[in-house]
Amino acid sequence: MANGRVIVRALSLICLIVLSTVRAVALEVGDFTFSHLGKAEGLDNQRIFSICQSPSGAIWWSSMTGVGRYNGSNVRTYMLDQRVPYSQLGGRVIRLSIDSMRIFAFDNRGSIYRFTPTYDRFEMVASISRKLGYEVALNDIHVVGERLYLALHDGVYVLDHGKLTQIMKGAYVNNIVTVRDRLLFCAREGVFDEHGHRLLPYNIESGYYDLLSGKLWLGGYESGLHLVTVGEDGKVVGDQFVRLTGDVQPQNPIRSICPYDDDTMLIGVDGEGVFQMQRDGRGECSVLFDASETACGVLHGNGVYSIVVDTWGNIVMGTYSGGIDIARPTGSTTAVYQHVPHSMQSLINDHVNMVMPLSEHVLMMGTDNGISILDTKTGIWQHSCHGTVVLGAIRKPDGNVCVFTYGKGVYEIDAQVMT
């Protein structure tokens, strides 16, 4: 019996270590610095519907009025059709689809455009409403070679060299997802395979098949988040409902699902922000970023419509009313230090007047509201001289720093306190 108790204690200790490790890998706001793209930075419209990264590394997005591109320093805006009067933009939704070489833009009224690098513009590929002879709702396109699979209000069509063919009828299709070598059609009436067989009954808004975990992540319009296991024959063999932490109700549409790294999946929830969960489906689905007045409140809008993790590990998020927010991992090539409301683990004030390195990994920043000192190795901030406008600083031979202020004289800070 004594040996049995030892084994039980050992197993309990192992479980605690494993659980601690699981919690440790969760992302936190302090792991990132943040920047924003809005009208002041050149966006023509802050209502963002989709975001993609092109093979060149540029970030592309679609808004209510057009398409934008950001190369890391400049914003460029493209109008899809100059002939469309502004009065007709109400209710228009533009989205993007990018494969290995091409960039497509399309709107919910059935117009499809392709970017032509030679002329630096979008040119029309087809008008589905004209081809069919009636108004349509185009919700998604999926590019396979020269064929475009189209998710419409009355089923799925294929556009191949100008010829339009309907391959599925009787469903309002929102999204097309690739699962291994098959396509799944996510519709208001449920999830269907290529033969039109209904696999699941939920109204699905977004989907992502994760090759790493073998899970199909499905975001419902009003049915929450589901992790689905699909067998080799294409049939559903497992369906796990995931409850989001906090007061989030399943009725909130899940607009975007995107992997962050080998461990973490990001989920964009309309009206609630960005959530995170382990890619293997274990653990909680908890909030990472939102627009609340808490430590997570780093976004400019809660209506998250699209999330992309770019080549450098930055999380690029588009919201319905707040433009684009970019979360950059601390220690990355480009880091932006900004004040995060209600968080002392951020810059104390965005009006920065001076920056001084105190050591290899410690920075001192003088602002209009005092001094912020960041240990870039640990990510921990310290603050002093609150309410003081700091203009400059100089280091003394003994290592202490003299700080020059506006109207409050000179402060001397002990080097031991700073490091």
Side-chain angles (χ1 to χ4, degrees):
M1 292 296 293
N3 289 338
R5 284 194 292 272
V6 171
I7 292 173
V8 169
R9 290 194 187 105
L11 289 174
S12 300
L13 180 59
I14 291 171
C15 290
L16 286 173
I17 293 172
V18 170
L19 289 173
S20 299
T21 304
V22 168
R23 284 192 290 267
V25 299
L27 302 175
E28 298 180 357
V29 172
D31 297 331
F32 302 89
T33 63
F34 300 88
S35 60
H36 178 248
L37 296 178
K39 287 190 174 181
E41 290 71 32
L43 266 65
D44 64 321
N45 192 283
Q46 293 196 155
R47 189 169 293 180
I48 307 300
F49 294 115
S50 65
I51 299 178
C52 301
Q53 185 180 27
S54 65
S56 67
I59 295 297
W60 294 75
W61 62 86
S62 63
S63 68
M64 185 181 72
T65 54
V67 175
R69 181 184 68 191
Y70 179 60
N71 61 7
S73 58
N74 297 314
V75 171
R76 170 83 158 87
T77 301
Y78 299 86
M79 295 296 292
L80 297 182
D81 193 339
Q82 301 287 351
R83 296 169 296 178
V84 177
Y86 195 83
S87 60
Q88 294 183 14
L89 294 178
R92 190 186 194 192
V93 176
I94 300 172
R95 292 187 174 91
L96 295 175
S97 180
I98 296 181
D99 66 2
S100 59
M101 295 297 293
R102 297 162 297 178
I103 302 171
F104 291 90
F106 62 97
D107 67 19
N108 57 330
R109 296 169 184 171
S111 298
I112 303 174
Y113 305 82
R114 177 176 169 178
F115 182 66
T116 304
T118 304
Y119 300 107
D120 192 31
R121 70 188 183 201
F122 282 86
E123 298 181 339
M124 180 171 279
V125 173
S127 172
I128 305 305
S129 58
R130 290 178 193 164
K131 283 182 174 291
L132 293 176
Y134 52 84
E135 292 186 0
V136 303
L138 176 59
N139 303 308
D140 192 19
I141 70 174
H142 182 76
V143 184
V144 180
E146 295 302 316
R147 291 181 294 173
L148 301 182
Y149 288 82
L150 312 178
L152 267 72
H153 70 287
D154 61 348
V156 179
Y157 292 74
V158 175
L159 181 65
D160 190 357
H161 293 89
K163 182 180 178 181
L164 191 63
T165 306
Q166 188 171 25
I167 63 171
M168 176 183 152
K169 299 179 180 180
Y172 191 104
V173 184
N174 298 315
N175 188 232
I176 301 174
V177 182
T178 302
V179 179
R180 302 188 187 95
D181 57 347
R182 298 181 175 90
L183 295 180
L184 291 184
F185 306 131
C186 303
R188 288 181 178 177
E189 296 79 6
V191 179
F192 298 83
D193 63 17
E194 291 174 306
H195 304 291
H197 300 141
R198 191 167 78 161
L199 306 178
L200 293 166
Y202 316 114
N203 179 356
I204 298 299
E205 182 75 12
S206 60
Y208 179 83
Y209 179 67
D210 184 19
L211 284 170
L212 187 64
S213 66
K215 299 284 186 181
L216 173 62
W217 296 67
L218 295 175
Y221 183 78
E222 54 186 11
S223 57
L225 179 65
H226 288 259
L227 268 63
V228 176
T229 304
V230 180
E232 293 293 335
D233 58 358
K235 296 181 179 180
V236 173
V237 296
D239 178 11
Q240 173 191 351
F241 172 73
V242 177
R243 184 172 297 279
L244 279 61
T245 59
D247 298 325
V248 182
Q249 300 299 315
Q251 288 77 16
N252 290 80
I254 296 174
R255 306 284 189 184
S256 184
I257 301 172
C258 171
Y260 174 71
D261 55 19
D262 289 348
D263 301 310
T264 307
M265 191 71 76
L266 302 176
I267 299 99
V269 184
D270 194 357
E272 296 291 344
V274 177
F275 285 67
Q276 62 173 329
M277 188 174 180
Q278 289 180 237
R279 283 182 75 163
D280 59 11
R282 295 184 300 167
E284 294 183 333
C285 187
S286 58
V287 65
L288 176 60
F289 308 134
D290 61 20
S292 66
E293 295 184 358
T294 67
C296 296
V298 295
L299 301 183
H300 287 72
N302 267 335
V304 178
Y305 265 61
S306 188
I307 306 172
V308 166
V309 177
D310 69 16
T311 306
W312 300 278
N314 303 317
I315 305 174
V316 187
M317 298 156 283
T319 64
Y320 185 75
S321 60
I324 297 172
D325 289 292
I326 304 175
R328 294 180 170 88
T330 55
S332 61
T333 304
T334 301
V336 180
Y337 302 117
Q338 288 183 312
H339 173 64
V340 177
H342 315 288
S343 174
M344 293 303 293
Q345 287 304 306
S346 69
L347 187 64
I348 195 67
N349 186 274
D350 282 335
H351 293 279
V352 179
N353 303 310
M354 55 79 59
V355 178
M356 172 183 284
L358 301 179
S359 69
E360 183 179 353
H361 55 84
V362 177
L363 291 175
M364 183 178 78
M365 308 173 199
T367 78
D368 280 3
N369 189 31
I371 294 171
S372 291
I373 299 174
L374 171 64
D375 187 324
T376 59
K377 193 172 182 179
T378 64
I380 296 176
W381 290 84
Q382 300 180 66
H383 308 287
S384 63
C385 302
H386 294 274
T388 303
V389 178
V390 177
L391 300 176
I394 187 171
R395 189 189 296 272
K396 295 176 58 182
D398 60 3
N400 290 356
V401 174
C402 287
V403 176
F404 313 107
T405 72
Y406 180 78
K408 291 189 177 181
V410 178
Y411 288 80
E412 182 173 342
I413 303 177
D414 191 311
Q416 299 298 319
V417 174
M418 295 182 292
T419 57

